[in-house]
Amino acid sequence: MQINAIKLNIASPFTWASGWKSPIYCDNRIILSYPQIRKEICESFCFVINSHFQSIDVIAGVATGAIAHGVLVADALEKPFVYVRPEPKKHGLSNQIEGHIESGQRVLVIEDLISTGNSSLNAVRALRQAGTQVLGMVAIFTYGFPQAQENFDREGVTLHTLASYSQLIHRALETGSVSPEQLQSLKRWRTNPETWGQ
């Protein structure tokens, strides 16, 4: 919130690629322009990873938003790094996974944002198809949609996030960024984002 990576606008909601109207827009790429916050995010990732995962062979970032964060984490942990595209390239080597990876390696996935989880889990499936063992995923932020948790449970993927939508909106209330009435609207959106604002 300090660097305006999180934008809240209930009166003029944002439109997501899915067509949903949303009172929030989360742009984690802005973090990369602020060295101290970028460092704090990397350190937080490393703390969560060291607390919950052992014997990692490779760090994998989900393209494109988590590539830079994944590189920073891999560097801090002195691990190899790869990144996963949404689909194989249409030219060249037709790679979906970029970088050197081997069957049997234990992979920890870095993501920047979790909404429904579909694109994140697409990366997990690609890594599994390459013969690797995906230990889990760590992300900066989650909207906390029940659909996302169901998707992660279905795929058998453990997810840890540094921050959540619920934490965010209560912090916004504490700092005066939203009113109590706006807070209720933000809660309603998270419950039913498909029809909110219609």
Side-chain angles (χ1 to χ4, degrees), residues 159-197:
L159 172 67
H160 295 275
T161 61
L162 306 184
S164 69
Y165 182 74
S166 298
Q167 293 170 328
L168 169 71
I169 60 175
H170 284 97
R171 181 65 179 152
L173 180 65
E174 290 173 357
T175 59
S177 300
V178 299
S179 68
E181 294 76 18
Q182 290 172 321
L183 179 68
Q184 294 308 311
S185 182
L186 289 166
K187 287 181 176 180
R188 285 194 297 274
W189 171 78
R190 218 282 298 278
T191 302
N192 197 0
E194 298 95 335
T195 60
W196 184 92

Side-chain angles (χ1 to χ4, degrees), residues 87-148:
E87 58 185 20
K89 281 201 306 186
K90 299 285 193 286
H91 57 280
L93 299 177
S94 301
N95 291 337
Q96 184 169 2
I97 301 171
E98 297 289 1
H100 178 74
I101 198 162
E102 297 177 3
S103 179
Q105 286 187 309
R106 293 158 297 196
V107 182
L108 191 283
V109 182
I110 300 290
E111 180 62 290
D112 73 322
L113 178 72
I114 305 293
S115 52
T116 62
N118 288 329
S119 59
S120 307
L121 291 169
N122 181 55
V124 169
R125 287 188 285 272
L127 289 162
R128 286 174 170 168
Q129 287 170 6
T132 70
Q133 177 187 352
V134 177
L135 301 178
M137 184 180 299
V138 182
I140 297 173
F141 182 78
T142 179
Y143 288 103
F145 295 133
Q147 178 184 355

